[in-house]
């Protein structure tokens, strides 16, 4: 069976490709021109690589008719909340129009693929202003442009599934971390700074944003296992939370990372790292994915953080 991974040039792509290869799929992966797929530790399996801009519908049509995948994993996105405040139109184009281009092309070409759309815990937004994990039935109240774009993708996915009987499963991924993530995201950012400090390339000061937010962190290697399980066993037209079920304060993430470095680090607040709106608490209720698949997260937070720190130590 062939799996198509769209947007494989980002953080998650290489991990998902290796997960799918280990499960016996033939994998075709698309990336943007000039992107290189990141394989952690260089472990790269046999994969067909192609270029695809999700905004080019003709190119999607050519790709689908040539590859005829049985499973499609749609990772391509503008994935940064911070960037979405600065580039709202670009975020809407890639995350909404890109998804419509894909679904519409699958519909028109008539290929029978199961599609996994990757959304975000950010879709819940203000609906999560509580201190209990959120389940998929909650009415979403997105609080930033990225979140609105991903909720729109979710609604479009459900619509296409209902209206055309297409096999579409939607995911709400909570914060995922691991080696290879860009330092624009919090765990990678702090580990990158801590590694620079440990190597004597940055003064012993870590610059931070809002440390009081609580987020639900899961290792990317657990996340891609969930994606492959949901592609097989998720119910079409439904949405699944993928996270750990626990919220950790960003200050706690910082403290754990500081302990990984031998240096005596001080912390400085950087006003530029604060967002216009930052939901205080996000945690996943993962009852549904546990019910419909055999998935559960396995990798401890401290292992993820030390792998990210070690990765930057070896890269710098
Ligand atoms: O923005 P870039 O240059 O890093 O490229 C991203 C790529 N991408 C596109 N691919 C095809 N056509 C486009 N028009 C287009 N615009 C951007 O999608 C990047 O290589 C990839 C997404 O990867 P990341 O940004 O690293 O996201 P990550 O962490 O791999 O997350 C995968 C999915 C995304 O849908 C997130 O929104 C969600 O999981 O959390
Ligand atoms: N990036 C960053 N840098 N975030 C910081 C910092 C800092 O120095 N200091 C505090 N934070 C806080 C942010 O304000 C936010 O509350 C939290 O750390 C997490 O920020 P990010 O790591 O940038 O991730 P995100 O939650 O905005 O978005 C990520 O997770 C989503 C799922 O919840 C991305 O991976 C999205 O694509 C994904 O959908």
């Amino acid at each position: 069976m062939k799996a198509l991974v769209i947007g494989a040039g980002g953080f998650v792509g290489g991990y998902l490709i290796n997960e799918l290869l280990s499960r016996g799929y033939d994998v075709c992966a698309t990336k943007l021109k000039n992107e290189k797929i990141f394989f952690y530790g260089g472990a790269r399996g046999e994969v067909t690589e192609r270029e695809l801009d999700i905004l080019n519908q003709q190119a999607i049509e050519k790709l689908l008719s040539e590859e005829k995948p049985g499973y499609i994993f749609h990772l391509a996105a503008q994935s940064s909340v911070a960037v979405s405040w600065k580039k709202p139109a670009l975020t809407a184009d890639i995350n909404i129009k890109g998804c419509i281009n894909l679904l519409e092309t699958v519909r028109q070409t008539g290929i029978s693929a199961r599609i996994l759309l990757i959304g975000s815990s950010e879709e819940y937004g203000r609906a999560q202003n509580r201190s209990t994990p959120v389940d998929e039935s909650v009415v979403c109240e997105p609080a930033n442009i990225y979140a609105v774009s991903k909720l729109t993708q979710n609604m479009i996915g459900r619509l296409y599934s209902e209206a055309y009987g297409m096999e579409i499963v939607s995911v709400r991924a909570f914060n995922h971390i691991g080696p290879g993530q860009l330092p624009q995201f919090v765990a990678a950012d702090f580990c990158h700074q801590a590694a620079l400090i440990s190597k004597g390339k940055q003064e012993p000061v870590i610059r931070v944003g809002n440390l009081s937010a609580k987020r639900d962190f899961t290792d990317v290697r657990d996340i891609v296992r969930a994606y492959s399980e949901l592609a097989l066993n998720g119910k079409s037209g439904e949405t699944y939370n993928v996270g750990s079920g626990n919220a950790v304060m960003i200050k706690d993430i910082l403290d754990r990372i500081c302990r990984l470095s031998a240096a005596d680090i001080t912390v400085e607040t950087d006003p530029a790292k604060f967002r216009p709106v930052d939901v205080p608490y996000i945690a996943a209720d993962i009852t549904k994915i546990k019910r419909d698949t055999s998935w559960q997260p396995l990798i401890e937070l401290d292992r993820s953080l030390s792998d990210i720190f070690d990765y930057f130590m070896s890269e710098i």
Side-chain angles (χ1 to χ4, degrees), residues 6-13 30-32 35 52-55 74-80 94-95 118-120 146 150 173 176 181-182 185 227:
I6 297 178
F11 167 49
V12 175
T30 79
K31 56 192 175 55
L32 288 172
E35 273 187 329
L52 179 76
D53 182 337
I54 198 73
L55 296 178
H74 178 42
L75 303 179
Q78 189 302 95
S79 65
S80 158
I94 298 169
N95 296 2
I118 314 299
S120 168
Y146 170 76
K150 287 291 183 175
H176 36 300
Q181 191 171 33
L182 293 178
F185 298 103
Y227 292 175

Side-chain angles (χ1 to χ4, degrees), residues 192-208:
H192 182 234
Q193 292 190 61
L196 285 171
I197 291 167
S198 299
K199 294 262 180 179
K201 294 189 182 228
Q202 177 174 315
E203 55 174 334
V205 179
I206 289 196
R207 289 173 187 85
V208 301

Side-chain angles (χ1 to χ4, degrees), residues 79 120-121 146 175 184 186 190 209-210 213 215 273 275 278:
S79 65
S120 168
S121 55
Y146 170 76
N175 295 64
Q184 77 193 105
V186 70
F190 294 171
N210 175 17
R215 292 290 180 273
K273 289 185 142 188
R275 297 171 184 181
D278 205 20

Side-chain angles (χ1 to χ4, degrees), residues 28-199:
C28 172
T30 79
K31 56 192 175 55
L32 288 172
K33 210 173 179 173
N34 301 326
E35 273 187 329
K36 221 175 146 221
I37 300 178
F38 171 77
F39 290 99
Y40 179 46
R44 181 191 188 283
E46 272 299 305
V47 53
T48 309
E49 291 186 22
R50 300 185 59 149
E51 280 172 16
L52 179 76
D53 182 337
I54 198 73
L55 296 178
N56 181 344
Q57 197 170 355
Q58 273 183 339
I60 304 175
E61 193 180 328
K62 185 168 186 298
L63 175 79
L64 294 182
S65 12
E66 288 173 7
E67 298 290 343
K68 298 187 177 55
Y71 294 88
I72 300 175
F73 297 82
H74 178 42
L75 303 179
Q78 189 302 95
S79 65
S80 158
V81 173
V83 170
S84 78
W85 286 108
K86 294 176 187 129
K87 298 183 176 173
L90 178 82
T91 303
D93 271 353
I94 298 169
N95 296 2
I96 301 173
K97 207 168 160 198
C99 167
I100 293 175
N101 282 348
L102 173 64
L103 297 184
E104 194 50 21
T105 313
V106 171
R107 185 182 79 78
Q108 285 171 11
T109 50
I111 63 161
S112 74
R114 264 175 87 73
I115 303 166
L116 199 74
L117 297 178
I118 314 299
S120 168
S121 55
E122 286 288 331
E123 292 169 44
Y124 293 115
R126 292 193 183 87
Q128 305 183 103
N129 262 349
R130 300 170 304 162
S131 50
T132 47
V134 68
D135 72 37
E136 296 85 348
S137 67
V138 160
V139 177
C140 293
E141 291 183 58
N144 59 66
I145 307 286
Y146 170 76
V148 169
S149 73
K150 287 291 183 175
L151 179 58
T152 308
Q153 169 181 272
N154 178 284
M155 293 162 85
I156 291 167
R158 206 170 59 216
L159 207 61
Y160 267 71
S161 165
E162 282 167 10
Y164 303 122
M166 288 165 59
E167 290 279 313
I168 301 168
V169 178
S170 288
V171 164
R172 290 200 177 118
F174 287 61
N175 295 64
H176 36 300
I177 58 173
Q181 191 171 33
L182 293 178
Q184 77 193 105
F185 298 103
V186 70
D189 184 341
F190 294 171
C191 284
H192 182 234
Q193 292 190 61
L196 285 171
I197 291 167
S198 299
K199 294 262 180 179

